[in-house]
Amino acid sequence: MKKVRLTTIMIMAFLSLSAMSCKDTKKENTHDDSSHSEMNHDKMNTSNNMMDSDTQNSGAQKVLTDYMALKDALVNDDNAKAKELGNALAQSLKSFDASSFSSKEKSELEDIVEDAIEHAEHISESDIKHQREHFKVLSKDVTDMVVITGTQVKLYEQFCPMYDGGTAWLSTKEEVRNPYYGSQMLKCGKVQREIN
């Protein structure tokens, strides 16, 4: 039950990340971000597909739950926990079954999942700085995945204008907790959009 709830939270966070833009006027540096709204919009138009199968939802929810746990480890500057959770996320992604989706969606999901696995595996082997670099791309992958699979929980796509030219992530909570800076700049960022 805990994994399903966490997955739901992760999906919500991922979708929110894609839709929201952030400008933190209290920070020294500002950067532009390119969001994942395009894919999220497409997913919203095909949200009926996610109703076709509980299997679709459970696999996507597991990925989202593991993503959210990984995000929280990075927020807490916990390199060891992030390594463990990167591995768990890689396993969830490997177990994800896209067979119940349309041919086009299945192909897109397979590409997204393949890339996401690579980044999750790198996170499981890296120092925290490198983990955060991979988490940026992983967040885009998870957001793109949610566009196709949908989400059962509300997600907040959040955006930090300062990290690497502007970077987004997903959260199940509206309150910003930055996984790219952790305690260094915990509240840097803002909600770009909500994903339902």
Side-chain angles (χ1 to χ4, degrees):
M1 283 190 222
K2 189 173 184 179
K3 287 184 177 181
V4 172
R5 181 178 171 129
L6 183 57
T7 301
T8 301
I9 292 172
M10 291 172 62
I11 290 173
M12 291 162 82
F14 184 79
L15 290 175
S16 296
L17 185 68
S18 298
M20 303 172 191
S21 67
C22 166
K23 290 185 181 179
D24 190 346
T25 58
K26 296 180 182 179
K27 304 303 171 192
E28 297 175 11
N29 300 326
T30 58
H31 301 283
D32 293 325
D33 175 53
S34 57
S35 69
H36 309 289
S37 60
E38 222 175 277
M39 291 187 76
N40 285 335
H41 178 71
D42 292 341
K43 178 54 192 165
M44 299 309 167
N45 291 336
T46 61
S47 62
N48 290 338
N49 291 337
M50 74 177 187
M51 301 299 186
D52 293 343
S53 170
D54 288 338
T55 304
Q56 288 177 278
N57 289 331
S58 65
Q61 290 293 359
K62 173 67 174 134
V63 168
L64 203 54
T65 298
D66 289 347
Y67 169 87
M68 293 299 169
L70 173 58
K71 174 198 58 90
D72 290 343
L74 293 173
V75 165
N76 294 320
D77 302 316
D78 192 338
N79 175 244
K81 188 71 172 174
K83 284 182 177 183
E84 176 186 322
L85 293 167
N87 184 58
L89 178 56
Q91 297 312 310
S92 297
L93 287 160
K94 288 176 183 177
S95 299
F96 179 77
D97 181 8
S99 63
S100 60
F101 291 87
S102 72
S103 297
K104 181 181 178 187
E105 290 172 333
K106 181 179 176 184
S107 176
E108 290 173 4
L109 285 167
E110 287 171 352
D111 289 344
I112 291 166
V113 167
E114 181 180 355
D115 191 60
I117 289 169
E118 180 180 341
H119 291 287
E121 288 177 341
H122 278 285
I123 288 169
S124 73
E125 305 166 347
S126 303
D127 62 70
I128 197 154
K129 181 180 179 194
H130 200 57
Q131 286 174 331
R132 287 173 167 146
E133 292 168 358
H134 283 283
F135 188 73
K136 175 177 180 168
V137 182
L138 179 65
S139 291
K140 182 186 182 315
D141 289 337
V142 174
T143 300
D144 291 348
M145 184 176 181
V146 171
V147 167
I148 297 169
T149 64
T151 177
Q152 296 176 343
V153 295
K154 181 184 283 188
L155 298 176
Y156 297 91
E157 182 181 57
Q158 299 175 342
F159 177 74
C160 172
M162 296 180 63
Y163 185 82
D164 194 27
T167 302
W169 69 95
L170 293 176
S171 178
T172 56
K173 297 179 182 173
E174 188 172 1
E175 184 177 28
V176 172
R177 292 293 179 262
N178 191 316
Y180 300 105
Y181 287 113
S183 61
Q184 185 181 11
M185 287 192 286
L186 186 62
K187 297 181 181 180
C188 179
K190 77 174 191 178
V191 172
Q192 294 190 125
R193 66 175 173 165
E194 294 179 11
I195 302 169
N196 295 311

